[in-house]
Structures are given as C-alpha cells and as structure tokens.
Amino acid sequence: MAATRYASNDLRRQVGSPRSKARGGLLPLPLVCCVHSSGALADGHGVENKDTLCRNILIYGHCRYEDQGCTFNHDQNKPSSPQADLASKKAFNVDSPAFTPAGQQTAPNKKTTLSSQAANAAPFTPRGVGTPNQQPSTETSMFNPAAIREFTPQNYDIANPNANGGTQENGLYSDPFTTMGSMGSNLPSAGQFNMYASDHNALAGSGATFYPQHGAFPAGPLQPPNYHLYQPFDCYRQELQPWQRATYDFFMPAKMREELQKKMFATQQVMPNSGLPQLEHWHSLFPLDTSNRKNAASFGYPSWAYKAQNSRNGRHYALRRLEGYRLTNEKSILTVMKEWKKIKNANVVTVHEAFTTREFGDSSLIFAYDYHPLSKTLLEHHLQAAHGNRFRAPSAVPENVLWGYICQITNALKAIHSNKLAARCLEPGKIILSDNNRIRLGGCSILDVVQFESNTRPVQELQQEDLVKFGRVILSVATGALPAHLNNVAAGLDSLAAKYSANLKEAVTWLITPPSAGESKSIENFIGGIAAQMTTFFDLSLQDNDEKQSHLARELENGRIARNTMKLQTIVDRGDLGGVQSWSETGDRYQLKLFRDYVFHRVEADGKPNLSIGHMLSCMSKLDAGIDEMVVLTSRDNESVFVLTYRELRQMFDRAFNELVKHSKTGAPGANN
Ligand SMILES: Nc1ncnc2c1ncn2[C@@H]1O[C@H](COP(=O)(O)OP(=O)(O)OP(=O)(O)O)[C@@H](O)[C@H]1O
C-alpha cells in the first residue's frame, strides 16, 4: 500500500510539474486539466477520438471543452470501440495526451519520464466526486475535507473518551477531560463525579450512594463542563459600574458577608469570668438577656436566656432557664417535648430538650432551643427604643413589614395548630427577629410544661386565644404601644386607619375580636382572608432564595480556587521533606513555586505589583482543570525559563501533594469531612 501511495504521489508530482512551474511551482496542478486528455487537436497531433468517451464526462458528467474543440466522445450512450474501451479503462496513465484549449499557449510537449512504479500506479480518483460507488480510500493520512464530518454535539460518553474522538494526545488541543477516561469508566452509569476528589477510583464506588439518582433526571452520559473557566451561575448579577466590578463580581455582597461574619463572631463569643456554671453536657454559657431585671410576666417564673455549646455535638443552642421552678411531674417534660419536637417550621424556634438542674444554686427548668445569633425580640426592635426615648415619636413600621410578620406568624400558627398544640406564649417579647424581617416564635412549649397539671382548658380554647394574642402583637407593633399599655383596643384599631390600608385594619380586627357564641375561628379561615398577601410574601421569599442561591454558586467557585491555593501553599517554600533536603526547591516543586510567582507575584515592566484578581482566578481555574494551554514560567533571576502546559503543572501539583500526603499522619485534608 505504501508503494501505491508513493507511486500516486510521484505521478502527481511528475504530471503536475509543467503547470506548477508555470505558476511558480507553488500551486498544485488542477487535476481536471491533467485528467482531460483531449488536447490532441490543439497540440497538433490531429488524432480524432470520437469513439473514446471523454474523461470529463466520466468524471464530472460534462465537458467544458465539448464545444471548444474536444474531439472525444461526449455521448455516454454511444457504444465505444474495443480500443476506446480499453483506453478508457486505463483511466489515467502516462500515455494520456495532454489537452490545452485552443487559444491558450501550450508548453512544448515534453516526453514524460516516469518510473515503472509510477506507470503501474493505481488510477487517481478525486475524493468526494465521481461515482457514488467509489471504494473508500486507504490513504487515511491524506487531508481529505470530504471525509471530515461536521461536528455535531452528541451524547458525550465520559466513560469512553475514544468514542468521543478525544484521544489525540498530540493534537493542538485535547480535552483535559478525555484523560478522565479511567475515572469515568469506574463511575456508576449515572456518571456523577466529584471534581475535587484526588482519588476518583475510590470515589466511584461510593458515588452511587453519595449522589442518589434523581428520578427526574435520566441516567444519561455527562458532558463535563469547562472547569478551567471561573463561571458561577450568570443570573442575579448586580448592576455595578465597570470600575466597581473588579472584586465584587467574584464574592458575595459586602453587606451580606459582614452580617454573616458578625453572626459567626456572636456564635463563638465567650465570657470567661461570667460566673455561670457548666451544666451536664453544656458549657461556655453566655448571657443573652439585655437587662438584669427579673421578669416573671411571661411564664410565671423569672426567665433567663443563655447561649451555650453542647459538648456532645459541638453545636450552639439558646438555653432558657426558669428560675426557681420545681418539677413535680416527670411525665410533663416527656409528654410535652414529644409533641413539640414534631414542630419543624421556619417561623418557630425549634425546641430540642428540657431538663432540670441545680447548678445555678436553685431548682431551675431549662429548655434548649435552636440558637439564632444576633436576634432581637420584636419588643426590643420596635417598642423599646421608642419607649426609652421620650423625645422621639415612634416611627411607623412600614405596612409591607407588618404584612411580612402577619404571614410568618400565620405560618407558625398553622403548623402548631394542625399538630393540636397552641403557641400560648405569643407576645412581642418572645418573638425573635433575625435578618430581613425574619421572625420566629420563641418560648413555645414552656407554658405546656409549667402548667402541665394546672391547665384545664381544652387546646381549642387555647388556639382561639392564640389568634387574639396574634392580633394584639400586630396592633402593638403597628401602634408602637407596649402590650401592657394596650388597654383601649378599639382606639388602637381606629388609629390604624390613619397609617395603614383597610385590609390590614380588617385583618387585625378579625384576629382580636373574639368569636361570637357558638362560633369558632381558625387559622385556616384567616389564611383564606389574607391569601393575596401570603402569595406576595411567598414570591418575595422565593426571590430572596434565588438571590442567595446565586451567591452560593459564586462561593462554590471560590471554594474550588481556595482548595487548590491551600494545596499549593502546602507545597511551595516548604523546605525539607522526608529526608530530602530543599524538597520544595527542587524538581517539580521548583516549577510549582515559579507558577506560584506567576500567579500571585506578578509585576509590571516597571516593577509595580500586578494585583489582577481575574488573572489569579483564571490561572487557578486552569490549573484545576489541567488544560493544554501553555504557560511560560521564569525564575526570579531570569536565568531559567520553563514552557509548560497547565496539564503538566497539574500532574506535578498532584504528584507533589500526594508525596506530602504520604508523609503526613492525617492523610489528605478534608478527607474525613
Ligand atoms: N433562640 C434564640 N436564639 C438567639 N437569641 C435568642 C433566642 N431566644 C431569645 N434570644 C435573645 O435573648 C435575649 C433575651 O431574650 P428574652 O426572651 O429573655 O427577652 P427579655 O426581653 O429579656 O424577656 P424577659 O424580660 O421576659 O426575660 C433577646 O435579645 C432575644 O433576642
């Protein structure tokens, strides 16, 4: 076959040479002229070939020179003479006379000198043209546009890169993900994989259980995303000016970060000399009360709130202590907690357990609730400041905020009432407010324990009372009057008309007005009445959720970068390792160090530091994906220059880090969590 190819090429070179020379020898001779061999008339041989079928007809179906002097037969139906037949069977050979149309200057008829190999060459048939039943060419290495199929994105089979045409190791660009073949083949058919797992094979087994297959999504093959791009979701980009985009684009909004940091700080806050005791499995108690005043109004006992850490699970909780409470019936805690633990609602502070203790020097009853850092009660937020400042009139709470509270308390009561319980402790001092007007009912379940034996009222009656208390809470916040001062309810309701819509006044009036005899109201009735406001609130809440989701996606990208940055820092400038002196200054590690310089220590031509965060993120993303892009690394003294691909750097990076892991006691960081 090689001989055939050689002969064919040789033939083309030989035949094409006169024309090529005429054009400076750069362009290949158009084969049509070469093949068309009917120039007998023009070159003066004067041989009539009416019996020989014209080659142009054979090849193209028509001949441009039919009317310009071509003497060959142009009628395919006309039977050709045996000689002509023989000639046509020869297809293309050295004896074919050259044709040049009349009027065109002809080169002197040179006698061709062909090797015997060339003479025996297989007939040339142009690709992509000619008869449809052509045999496929064996010359696969030849450039053949006709054979190149257009790229159509199809099911990309990560498990079989060969099937995806991704095996061109020496190609200009080969997809870094084709190298994940071994990984992909070990993955479950659902194809989920963890980009960050160093050992994908080990992960493969657990992949199926870790990412349970979702019924809604078919177990089809995956198309890996471009991980070398820093690309969180595109939605919810803030409308920032170009000069503001630089860093804010990559991180969560500054306000949100600040709030979260403050909350984390509050959660970790301790008071070493607080004098507070350590309870059985609770430590680091931190007082949450803002005043030392003993107030028994809510529960019948003075109550105190603390933040504490649970030594069993390390989590923080809010403990509420009822001072001087003596438990008479053990069953009360068990029964009440069993019922209240069922309430999982976004607007109710979840209660976890209740117990008694003598650690405070008295007999105390303690309830452990979820801790919501930096929350304030509605009383503190809306009523106390105004109350304390006699020179400033309380500012009206906006109506949409009030509707937000109404919708949230309704949601809480719906959950509580449908579990055949009553909130009971429904007052501005026991509703906590965290960010964004988010409220939760705190202090639920306490009165059920404390009045376990003394309470004889049916739960339906307590639920009716909840609705009235609910109305009073809203009226109190709306009018700015402390609940204790809310004696003239009718006057308070009338004052609402001046500031708020008739709908709001109607809703509060409905809640506060006790049902007429024989009639009962329910939270479901109320939901029907405020359906429009509930829908608006639901929509706002979904929008808020979407926005947070987009911030989360951005942080995911940052997590990817942070992880690799930390790994890189464990390698570079480490010094010795496992008896190898200057481990981090030699071999792969040296190049990684230069890469670190290239990413983070870039300088401008004038020596000024270049702090482009985009450059850093893009380089670290490319390292993460290990793409084939080249990078030039120069030593600080400019003595050495390395030209490497990110793929090679990634391999060095993994090798160096794995070496570190081998020498470490704990294994890969994050492997256990
Ligand atoms: N689950 C909780 N998570 C975080 N903070 C809470 C929680 N429950 C209450 N707090 C906070 O603890 C502080 C004290 O709460 P508490 O209910 O004792 O208020 P209070 O006004 O001191 O009431 P009282 O005068 O009846 O004791 C408030 O600032 C409140 O926001």
Side-chain angles (χ1 to χ4, degrees), residues 288-291 293-299 303-305 318 320 349 369-377 379-380 384 427 429-430 432-433 442:
L288 295 175
D289 286 282
T290 47
S291 80
R293 203 167 30 90
K294 281 194 180 185
N295 181 2
S298 302
F299 307 112
S303 80
W304 306 100
R320 183 169 293 279
V349 183
Y369 290 94
D370 268 351
Y371 173 63
H372 298 282
L374 293 186
S375 46
K376 281 179 173 179
T377 62
L379 186 92
E380 286 165 350
Q384 250 171 18
E427 53 188 75
K430 293 291 168 281
I432 59 168
L433 169 75

Side-chain angles (χ1 to χ4, degrees), residues 26 79 254 260 288 295 315 336 355 452 467 477 481 515 523 525 533 585 619 631:
L26 287 172
L260 285 174
L288 295 175
N295 181 2
R315 291 183 57 194
V336 172
F355 56 93
F452 186 73
L467 297 180
V477 174
I523 193 69
N525 300 147
Q533 282 78 19
E585 300 296 322
C619 290
V631 57

Side-chain angles (χ1 to χ4, degrees), residues 156-189:
Y156 187 97
D157 188 357
I158 194 171
N160 185 4
N162 296 345
N164 305 315
T167 49
Q168 302 161 352
E169 270 297 308
N170 300 322
L172 278 178
Y173 177 84
S174 64
D175 189 337
F177 291 94
T178 56
T179 55
M180 297 197 297
S182 59
M183 172 196 106
S185 61
N186 290 324
L187 286 174
S189 62

